[in-house]
Amino acid sequence: MSKNYELQVCEDSYSVFVDEVQYFLSQENGNELPLIQTQKQSLLMKINLEEMLKNLLNCTKLLDVVYCSVAGIGTLPGRVSQLQTSLLQTVSDSELTMNSFVRSTSKVLSDLSEVYPCLGDGDYQSAVSILQSVKNVAKAMENAAIEIRDAFQARCDETASILQDAFHSNQEFLDHRDQTTEELAEMNAELEALEVLKTILETQVETMNEEYKALEKKEEQAADRAFGLELTGAILGGIGELVTTVLPIKDLMGGITPEPSPEATSTPDPVDDSQIAQNEEVRKSKQKKDDLEMREKQLDQDIEALKKELSDPSIADLEKKRQTLKEKEAEREQLEQDIKTQEKTIEKVSGALKAAGSSFTTAASHEQTSVEAYNKRLEELARLRHEMVQQDAENKAKIAKYKAKIASSIDHKKDLDLTIQSLTMAIGSMRRIVTILNETILFWKGVVVCCETLADSELAAKIEEAEQTESKTENRFYEKRLFIKPFLLYFIQWQALRLISNEYVDSMDTVRKSLAEAMAEKEGTREEQWNKAAAKAQTLDV
């Protein structure tokens, strides 16, 4: 078994074994050989090329989702459209660059295959010339890779800028939505208050209408009664001189009403049913007052007894008795109010009975006064009712206005919700795009480093040095491990670079077409674009 990196020569074929695997130095090797796959992964810096190219394809679809999501939102659609155009140009340029890399690496591999045959023939200068030419190719490829790397970096920066502006716009819409929500809450509260006021006003108008009708009826009755009292007074005036005694007011009141004045007793008053009823009311009120006072005395005794019991701290059910005491004290306070009410009732009825002692003529005058008061109240009610009806109409107009504003605000809030939802989708998509572009930039950085390494090769210098120093009797330098290993690595690096270039070109055609197709589908209203964005986002595998 040959040792690692021991040169094997068979006619014009040069090869070595590395870990029992044969690698040719004068022709291309199989792409699946371990060293080639290792160099490929080294160049990719552990990036999964297949996954990266798939993500780059998804990047074009995500950018389409972004465009649809920001439709109608400020300057974002124009900027995203420009980004699509720029990215399409960058993708196309990278595809062209990689195509040129495929051609260059194929030419370089063909040239490198001639290095060992030249060395074997002792034509060192031809070998050096080939290696110098290869370095120049590598340098040109390095410059081209730098341009593509920088172009993708520019697209990434452009995306990040749009992302930042979209984020700020989304925050503004969020603030606006919060403000709209607060305004809606305030308007709903105001509308609720107006609805309550509407009910109150309608009730007041209805109450005033009922009072107006009742007062109209009372006014008619009072006018009729005033006429009857005048007529009765005129008739009784003549009879009064013949009557020497009539039932006095004092007797009617059962001794409760204060003594009438001489003027009142000097004018005889006939007794009618209303006077008897008033007398009965006074009697009942006095009886109720006496009952209340008796209950009050009983409560005073109960309260005093409870206080004595509560003074003894050892008494059982202390809290219950305290509660009972509070209840009885509250009842006593209520009784005091009821007694005062009865006293006022007695005073009021007594005053009415005292006034009943006046002549029917005076009563007729009072009735006339009542008629005037009714008329005045009717006028006041008419005015108030008109004001209430007017206020009710104004309130209903406000209610209609607030309902319209609320409906408009609700529609506006729905529009804001849709905008925020779309921007949120756009922000998430752009964040993913930035990640994908950064991975692509990292890939091209690896290509730049690889080309730079290939351009900095010292193989040509080693050949020139060996040509000056090596002895004719010793093994040739190109037969030694110190030259074979770096040359094989150099050869394999070029082959790995071509392998990557081919894979990139094969996938990038699909990416470019996808981006071009997405750019061709930009028509539609804002709502249609938003719906399209949501539908497309669900189909993405990211």
Side-chain angles (χ1 to χ4, degrees):
M1 181 63 63
S2 300
K3 298 179 181 178
N4 282 347
Y5 298 103
E6 183 177 339
L7 185 63
Q8 306 290 319
V9 182
C10 180
E11 297 183 354
D12 292 336
S13 177
Y14 294 83
S15 64
V16 294
F17 281 88
V18 179
D19 297 330
E20 301 181 3
V21 178
Q22 185 179 20
Y23 293 90
F24 290 97
L25 301 174
S26 56
Q27 67 184 64
E28 294 184 30
N29 294 282
N31 291 330
E32 299 304 319
L33 293 181
L35 283 180
I36 294 177
Q37 290 298 317
T38 300
Q39 285 303 309
K40 176 184 175 184
Q41 292 305 315
S42 176
L43 190 157
L44 291 172
M45 295 183 291
K46 298 184 179 179
I47 294 174
N48 186 322
L49 183 60
E50 182 181 356
E51 190 68 23
M52 186 203 80
L53 294 171
K54 177 184 175 184
N55 288 339
L56 202 54
L57 177 61
N58 283 329
C59 179
T60 66
K61 298 177 181 179
L62 283 168
L63 199 53
D64 187 33
V65 170
V66 172
Y67 178 82
C68 294
S69 298
V70 299
I73 303 175
T75 61
L76 291 176
R79 295 178 65 188
V80 174
S81 179
Q82 180 59 44
L83 175 60
Q84 286 180 311
T85 303
S86 301
L87 184 60
L88 177 60
Q89 184 63 50
T90 301
V91 167
S92 299
D93 290 345
S94 72
E95 184 181 6
L96 290 173
T97 299
M98 276 301 191
N99 262 318
S100 70
F101 279 16
V102 171
R103 292 192 299 271
S104 296
T105 52
S106 296
K107 176 66 167 58
V108 165
L109 289 170
S110 176
D111 290 344
L112 288 176
S113 297
E114 297 299 324
V115 171
Y116 254 86
C118 288
L119 292 175
D121 292 341
D123 188 0
Y124 290 0
Q125 286 303 314
S126 294
V128 169
S129 178
I130 291 171
L131 291 172
Q132 288 291 358
S133 176
V134 168
K135 287 179 62 175
N136 293 335
V137 171
K139 187 62 180 179
M141 291 173 62
E142 177 189 352
N143 293 332
I146 289 173
E147 288 183 7
I148 300 301
R149 178 201 66 189
D150 293 344
F152 274 111
Q153 183 64 60
R155 302 296 82 77
C156 185
D157 294 342
E158 193 176 346
T159 305
S161 177
I162 297 173
L163 171 60
Q164 188 69 17
D165 289 347
F167 180 81
H168 287 317
S169 296
N170 193 48
Q171 190 60 49
E172 289 176 0
F173 281 116
L174 284 170
D175 294 339
H176 192 184
R177 184 180 66 178
D178 292 342
Q179 182 182 353
T180 303
T181 302
E182 291 177 4
E183 290 174 354
L184 268 173
E186 292 175 0
M187 286 191 288
N188 280 319
E190 185 67 23
L191 178 61
E192 187 176 347
L194 290 172
E195 292 285 1
V196 172
L197 180 59
K198 172 175 172 281
T199 303
I200 293 172
L201 288 172
E202 289 176 346
T203 303
Q204 287 180 337
V205 170
E206 184 178 353
T207 302
M208 286 182 181
N209 285 333
E210 293 175 356
E211 185 180 356
Y212 191 88
K213 291 177 183 178
L215 280 175
E216 277 188 322
K217 186 175 181 180
K218 286 183 179 180
E219 189 272 338
E220 291 175 1
Q221 293 173 347
D224 293 342
R225 195 161 51 247
F227 176 77
L229 286 171
E230 275 190 52
L231 183 60
T232 302
I235 296 171
L236 292 180
I239 299 174
E241 295 181 0
L242 301 176
V243 179
T244 56
T245 60
V246 293
L247 184 62
I249 298 297
K250 181 178 179 181
D251 292 338
L252 287 172
M253 297 183 62
I256 299 174
T257 307
E259 289 290 335
S261 63
E263 291 78 11
T265 57
S266 63
T267 304
D269 293 327
V271 179
D272 57 13
D273 292 340
S274 64
Q275 290 173 323
I276 295 172
Q278 288 173 337
N279 180 51
E280 180 63 21
E281 185 177 351
V282 170
R283 186 190 65 76
K284 289 181 179 178
S285 296
K286 184 175 183 305
Q287 182 60 46
K288 187 173 181 180
K289 177 174 176 292
D290 292 341
D291 293 342
L292 289 172
E293 288 176 344
M294 289 180 63
R295 177 57 182 161
E296 183 181 22
K297 290 178 182 179
Q298 181 61 44
L299 281 172
D300 287 341
Q301 292 175 2
D302 294 346
I303 289 171
E304 188 63 30
L306 282 169
K307 286 182 177 180
K308 288 181 179 180
E309 289 183 31
L310 289 172
S311 63
D312 184 4
S314 63
I315 188 171
D317 298 332
L318 183 60
E319 289 300 321
K320 184 176 181 182
K321 290 184 180 297
R322 284 178 179 171
Q323 183 63 30
T324 303
L325 177 60
K326 288 181 181 179
E327 292 173 356
K328 288 186 177 293
E329 287 177 341
E331 184 180 357
R332 186 181 184 281
E333 290 177 2
Q334 185 60 42
L335 282 173
E336 289 179 354
Q337 294 297 322
D338 293 342
I339 291 170
K340 290 178 181 179
T341 300
Q342 293 304 315
E343 289 175 349
K344 289 179 180 180
T345 302
I346 293 171
E347 290 175 5
K348 183 178 178 182
V349 177
S350 296
L353 289 173
K354 185 177 180 181
S358 303
S359 64
F360 277 98
T361 303
T362 304
S365 176
H366 290 165
E367 288 294 337
Q368 188 59 39
T369 302
S370 297
V371 171
E372 293 174 358
Y374 285 147
N375 285 330
K376 185 177 181 180
R377 177 59 179 164
L378 284 171
E379 292 176 359
E380 184 180 2
L381 277 175
R383 178 182 61 79
L384 290 174
R385 184 176 59 180
H386 176 72
E387 291 177 357
M388 288 296 177
V389 170
Q390 187 175 9
Q391 188 176 355
D392 184 45
E394 292 175 355
N395 187 66
K396 287 177 179 177
K398 286 183 179 179
I399 289 175
K401 181 179 177 181
Y402 269 100
K403 285 183 177 179
K405 287 179 68 176
I406 288 172
S408 176
S409 294
I410 289 174
D411 290 340
H412 182 53
K413 184 176 180 296
K414 288 180 180 178
D415 189 55
L416 286 173
D417 288 337
L418 286 174
T419 304
I420 291 168
Q421 181 181 355
S422 295
L423 274 174
T424 301
M425 187 186 305
I427 289 169
S429 298
M430 281 191 286
R431 283 175 173 166
R432 180 59 180 150
I433 291 170
V434 169
T435 301
I436 292 171
L437 290 178
N438 276 321
E439 185 180 39
T440 307
I441 292 166
L442 182 62
F443 163 77
W444 278 99
K445 284 181 178 179
V447 174
V448 170
V449 170
C450 178
C451 292
E452 183 181 12
T453 302
L454 294 173
D456 292 339
S457 170
E458 298 293 333
L459 291 174
K462 287 183 178 181
I463 293 174
E464 290 177 336
E465 180 183 356
E467 186 179 12
Q468 300 296 328
T469 60
E470 76 173 356
S471 171
K472 301 296 182 180
T473 59
E474 296 178 352
N475 289 339
R476 298 291 185 262
F477 71 93
Y478 57 83
E479 297 175 354
K480 297 178 180 178
R481 178 189 180 98
L482 289 177
F483 184 83
I484 293 174
K485 184 175 181 180
F487 181 84
L488 177 62
L489 179 62
Y490 193 65
F491 200 126
I492 287 175
Q493 282 176 332
W494 278 100
Q495 192 167 345
L497 181 56
R498 188 182 65 175
L499 180 60
I500 291 172
S501 300
N502 272 319
E503 291 181 13
Y504 189 94
V505 169
D506 291 342
S507 297
M508 201 53 60
D509 181 63
T510 304
V511 173
R512 177 173 48 77
K513 290 179 179 177
S514 174
L515 186 55
E517 289 172 1
M519 292 176 64
E521 300 177 359
K522 292 185 176 180
E523 295 78 12
T525 64
R526 183 178 67 169
E527 289 73 16
E528 289 172 346
Q529 294 286 61
W530 288 353
N531 292 334
K532 190 188 295 183
K536 289 184 176 183
Q538 293 178 353
T539 63
L540 289 178
D541 181 20
V542 293

